[in-house]
Amino acid sequence: MPALWTQIKKLAGFTGVGLALLAVFGLVALAALRPLDGYAWVTVPPLAPDYRLDAGLTIQPVSDRVVAEAVKDQAILGPADSSQVPVVPPILTAAAPPAPTMAATPGKRPAPAPAAQPTPRPSAAPAPVATPAPTPSPSPTPVATPQPSPAPTPAPTPAPTPTPTPAPTPTPTPTPTPTPAPGPFKINWAGELVTLGPGQGQGQGKCANSTVKANGTFITNGAGGTVSYQWIRITSAGRAPQPVQSVVLAVGDKGFHAVKPDSWTPSSSGSEQLVFITPAYSVSAQSWTCR
């Protein structure tokens, strides 16, 4: 409830301020719209020190241009009262002061002569000129602009039928000359190299401290196929064939190929031989000596 009362008091305060502002603006408007009487009141500055004239409030005539403008405005707006007629203020003239009769004495200023009172001269008020109201000119009647007729749409020109291009004749591919077959798969050459590594220290030259290493290579005729081989160890205990190994070669492969080497410790002097099973080929055995 106190909050509502506070809001009501605020609203009443704003309403009062608005009414006060409205009254002030109304008084200013009334003062501005007060009709003119055609007179101008001015204050004459003190002229006694220079011209020995009495200063004071004096009616001064208004120029003819100002009067003509005022009459023109009243003719356009109309007088507020039918009995009111603009009056031109009288023109005041001052008579020339008489010459002083007393001779001027050095060091003393002559006594001022009494100022002559201006004689008013009446002048006839100009009659108000009525300005005719402007006659409104008739508005021009719009003229309809003729719309141009649409141009006919030209018929589409048929596209020319393209001439079929003959298919090019394929160039015959020359038949490659067949490579003659190399014949049955065989080994053209094979060899081996068997070495015995010496023992170390006091055991140098002993079989138990030595190692036999066998390496082999071969070349085929390029027919392609599988090469099967094995190493055969020969000692005082007899022949000891090793497991069969194989190598697959492609057709046209005529390069050197190495077989899997064999390495072991012998029990006595002996030899080792590389034997090819397929294709069949024998390599001379190589021997070694140890104690």
Side-chain angles (χ1 to χ4, degrees):
M1 190 63 181
L4 179 60
W5 182 246
T6 303
Q7 296 295 332
I8 292 175
K9 290 194 296 182
K10 289 182 179 180
L11 181 60
F14 286 133
T15 304
V17 172
L19 292 176
L21 292 177
L22 184 61
V24 171
F25 285 123
L27 292 176
V28 172
L30 290 176
L33 297 177
R34 184 180 59 182
L36 301 175
D37 54 2
Y39 290 93
W41 296 88
V42 295
T43 302
V44 177
L47 304 177
D50 297 329
Y51 299 98
R52 301 183 181 277
L53 298 177
D54 293 335
L57 187 63
T58 307
I59 297 175
Q60 297 294 332
V62 182
S63 65
D64 295 341
R65 184 178 59 83
V66 176
V67 174
E69 292 292 338
V71 171
K72 183 178 180 181
D73 292 343
Q74 290 182 1
I76 294 175
L77 299 177
D81 190 0
S82 59
S83 61
Q84 183 178 358
V85 178
V87 178
V88 178
I91 300 175
L92 304 180
T93 57
T101 58
M102 185 176 183
T105 303
K108 293 182 65 178
R109 298 180 64 181
Q117 297 297 328
T119 303
R121 186 181 62 181
S123 62
V129 179
T131 304
T135 304
S137 59
S139 58
T141 303
V143 179
T145 303
Q147 300 293 333
S149 58
T153 304
T157 303
T161 304
T163 305
T165 304
T169 303
T171 303
T173 304
T175 304
T177 304
T179 303
F185 184 49
K186 66 178 181 178
I187 296 177
N188 290 341
W189 175 89
E192 68 175 21
L193 176 62
V194 179
T195 59
L196 178 66
Q200 301 294 329
Q202 296 180 357
Q204 185 175 3
K206 293 185 177 182
C207 294
N209 296 329
S210 301
T211 301
V212 177
K213 294 182 179 181
N215 295 281
T217 56
F218 66 91
I219 299 174
T220 66
N221 62 347
T226 302
V227 177
S228 300
Y229 64 93
Q230 67 178 164
W231 289 100
I232 298 178
R233 301 172 183 174
I234 303 172
T235 61
S236 59
R239 295 170 62 89
Q242 301 302 307
V244 178
Q245 306 289 336
S246 62
V247 178
V248 179
L249 302 179
V251 177
D253 188 353
K254 297 181 180 181
F256 282 88
H257 293 277
V259 300
K260 186 176 181 180
D262 187 26
S263 178
W264 54 287
T265 300
S267 59
S268 62
S269 300
S271 61
E272 189 166 1
Q273 184 181 13
L274 176 60
V275 178
F276 290 92
I277 300 172
T278 53
Y281 194 88
S282 296
V283 180
S284 300
Q286 293 187 1
S287 60
W288 71 89
T289 302
C290 62
R291 63 179 186 277

